[in-house]
Amino acid sequence: KKYFAMDSTMAVVDSFWVQNGYITDEHDIKFLKNGDVLLIGLEYKLVDMSLYVEGGDKNASVVLNVIQEIDKNKNLVFEWKSDEHYKYTDAAGRINLSDASFVHSHINSIDIDTDGNLIISARNLNEISKIDIKSGDFIWRLGGKNNQFTFINDSSGFSAQHSVTMLPNGNLLLYDNGLDRTPQYSRAIVYKIDGQLKT
């Protein structure tokens, strides 16, 4: 349940893990210029889903995510919890919210934008979110049910995306699995993001 850093002789010299009882997720780790690391964590939470959807399980086991920044002394300096910001009903239609157990946001990549704020990919929401690294508030939401953007030269959008990366020029690179597309096909795409005009 940890990431291990090794030197050139393959000797383990460091390790990285999420704190506060969460499970370290294997999807991504980002090393920051200040020596801190960003990690994704998992939590299994019992939720009364009948409060949110008709026929929802009253004791559903829901997999939630947390993003943590850990400094070089292994101190937690930032924490962002998915269930405090995303609604359960933000999940894409392919996620059955009436199941006895399901994975909610499925955060699968983290990156830092050119302005220092956080970019996260929530696969099961079909959403890429930009998060204020200080307050934890949304700066913008791209894709999914809460999309704030107009897509130019792309009529299909993306779904079940992976490997979202901010390029040095500010463009957004991602792997679009295309699970919600008929017929299904996958592709690599680059978007030029205008956060002001929301295009």
Side-chain angles (χ1 to χ4, degrees):
K1 304 300 182 185
K2 294 181 181 180
Y3 284 92
F4 293 96
M6 295 178 281
D7 64 17
S8 59
T9 69
M10 304 306 248
V12 173
V13 295
D14 207 346
S15 58
F16 311 94
W17 64 94
V18 291
Q19 300 183 14
N20 293 343
Y22 295 100
I23 302 165
T24 303
D25 183 280
E26 77 281 2
H27 274 99
D28 206 358
I29 181 173
K30 281 289 182 294
F31 293 88
L32 306 181
K33 292 178 182 176
N34 64 1
D36 293 2
V37 295
L38 284 172
L39 296 161
I40 304 169
L42 299 174
E43 173 188 21
Y44 292 82
K45 187 174 183 178
L46 295 177
V47 179
D48 182 354
M49 286 302 298
S50 69
L51 299 174
Y52 305 99
V53 293
E54 188 176 342
D57 192 297
K58 291 182 178 291
N59 206 29
S61 176
V62 182
V63 181
L64 302 171
N65 286 116
V66 63
I67 306 293
Q68 292 184 348
E69 181 178 347
I70 310 293
D71 71 15
K72 47 192 149 190
N73 297 314
K74 310 304 183 200
N75 296 311
L76 176 66
V77 295
F78 174 81
E79 183 173 81
W80 189 91
K81 298 177 183 179
S82 64
D83 64 332
E84 293 180 356
H85 299 275
Y86 295 133
K87 297 176 182 176
Y88 293 114
T89 52
D90 288 344
R94 67 180 178 278
I95 309 303
N96 187 349
L97 299 180
S98 298
D99 281 350
S101 63
F102 63 90
V103 179
H104 181 241
S105 54
H106 190 130
I107 294 173
N108 59 22
S109 70
I110 47 179
D111 205 1
I112 297 295
D113 201 350
T114 53
D115 62 5
N117 288 302
L118 185 62
I119 300 291
I120 63 175
S121 167
R123 177 187 191 268
N124 283 356
L125 277 57
N126 296 340
E127 179 175 323
I128 299 165
S129 310
K130 182 171 179 177
I131 309 295
D132 187 303
I133 197 70
K134 293 188 173 76
S135 70
D137 295 333
F138 289 113
I139 296 173
W140 50 248
R141 302 177 76 175
L142 173 66
K145 294 179 180 177
N146 296 282
N147 177 53
Q148 299 174 309
F149 285 75
T150 299
F151 287 79
I152 299 172
N153 300 324
D154 183 13
S155 59
S156 63
F158 57 86
S159 58
Q161 71 286 344
H162 273 82
S163 303
V164 176
T165 304
M166 291 304 296
L167 301 176
N169 64 2
N171 288 349
L172 192 69
L173 168 69
L174 61 135
Y175 183 78
D176 172 19
N177 276 296
L179 295 186
D180 293 342
R181 193 179 291 120
T182 304
Q184 290 182 344
Y185 64 90
S186 57
R187 60 185 180 153
I189 50 177
V190 175
Y191 290 121
K192 182 177 181 181
I193 302 292
D194 189 322
Q196 299 299 315
L197 295 178
K198 296 293 189 295
T199 59

